[in-house]
Amino acid sequence: PNTVAVYDYGRTPDGRFYYAMEYLSGLSLDALVTRFGPQPAGRVAQILTQAAGALAEAHALGLIHRDVKPANIFFCERGGVPDMVKLLDFGLVKHLGSASGPSLTQADALTGTPLYISPEALSDPSQIDHRADIYALGGVGYFLLTGKPPFEGKSVLEICGHHLHTTPELPSERLGQAVPTELEALVMACLAKKPGERPADADAVLERLR
């Protein structure tokens, strides 16, 4: 229920591709934080739980999103239930069984949003797996808690360098107030530089959130 629904797709008589999605009324997480500032920890946990559920479904099908970010997570009301999360924009999705190697194009070499891109997507993009989405989800959690992405810089190169080499400041320190220990530890674990040091998968993230 937290993955955006696509009802139909095809081509128009003049050859243009189209698809029809469910209509959503609300705002992105990016807009939410821009308008209302850092979010309460309980709400952050609920948002991450729903987003992790959408990722768990995608990963079970062998798909990695590769562009998880606040602008691609929508906050809306569905069936009278507020704070419903929808994961959008699977335009960069990659099947884990797809071939890649020396023929990787320059356009594919840096895929995703630099503010939330995983270290391995920078160092060896042909080898990323579902744990790149876990890293990005940690970045989203960090943004929701603090109102800022894990790293900022004056250029894409500087931001990418931070993803590769810099440990993020704790959300509680960045925010200047306490954050629940378990939630902060989970966000920081998701942002580990080495994929093997992150939660193993989205289901592991869900278990810790619960």
Side-chain angles (χ1 to χ4, degrees), residues 138-154:
V140 170
Y142 193 103
F143 174 76
L144 289 170
L145 287 170
T146 67
K148 302 288 184 181
F151 303 114
E152 297 178 288
K154 297 179 180 179

Side-chain angles (χ1 to χ4, degrees), residues 52-71:
L55 288 175
E57 180 183 35
H59 295 167
L61 296 171
L63 304 174
I64 41 179
H65 189 286
R66 297 202 296 173
D67 199 19
V68 175
K69 59 183 179 182

Side-chain angles (χ1 to χ4, degrees), residues 25-153:
S25 178
L27 71 172
S28 69
L29 295 186
D30 191 48
L32 175 74
V33 172
T34 298
R35 288 176 59 181
F36 301 107
Q39 298 296 296
R43 191 180 222 186
V44 172
Q46 289 299 318
I47 291 171
L48 293 179
T49 296
Q50 295 181 71
L55 288 175
E57 180 183 35
H59 295 167
L61 296 171
L63 304 174
I64 41 179
H65 189 286
R66 297 202 296 173
D67 199 19
V68 175
K69 59 183 179 182
N72 281 344
I73 301 176
F74 207 74
F75 211 43
C76 60
E77 180 179 306
R78 301 292 285 172
V81 179
D83 288 10
M84 173 67 75
V85 166
K86 289 283 186 175
L87 181 61
L88 313 178
D89 199 353
F90 284 74
L92 296 180
V93 74
K94 175 183 178 182
H95 195 281
L96 288 175
S98 62
S100 59
S103 62
L104 191 71
T105 66
Q106 186 63 35
D108 290 330
L110 180 59
T111 304
T113 301
L115 287 173
Y116 300 93
I117 197 168
S118 67
E120 65 271 22
L122 296 166
S123 59
D124 191 2
S126 66
Q127 297 301 314
I128 66 168
D129 61 19
H130 62 277
R131 292 171 295 185
D133 285 345
I134 301 299
Y135 182 91
L137 186 64
V140 170
Y142 193 103
F143 174 76
L144 289 170
L145 287 170
T146 67
K148 302 288 184 181
F151 303 114
E152 297 178 288

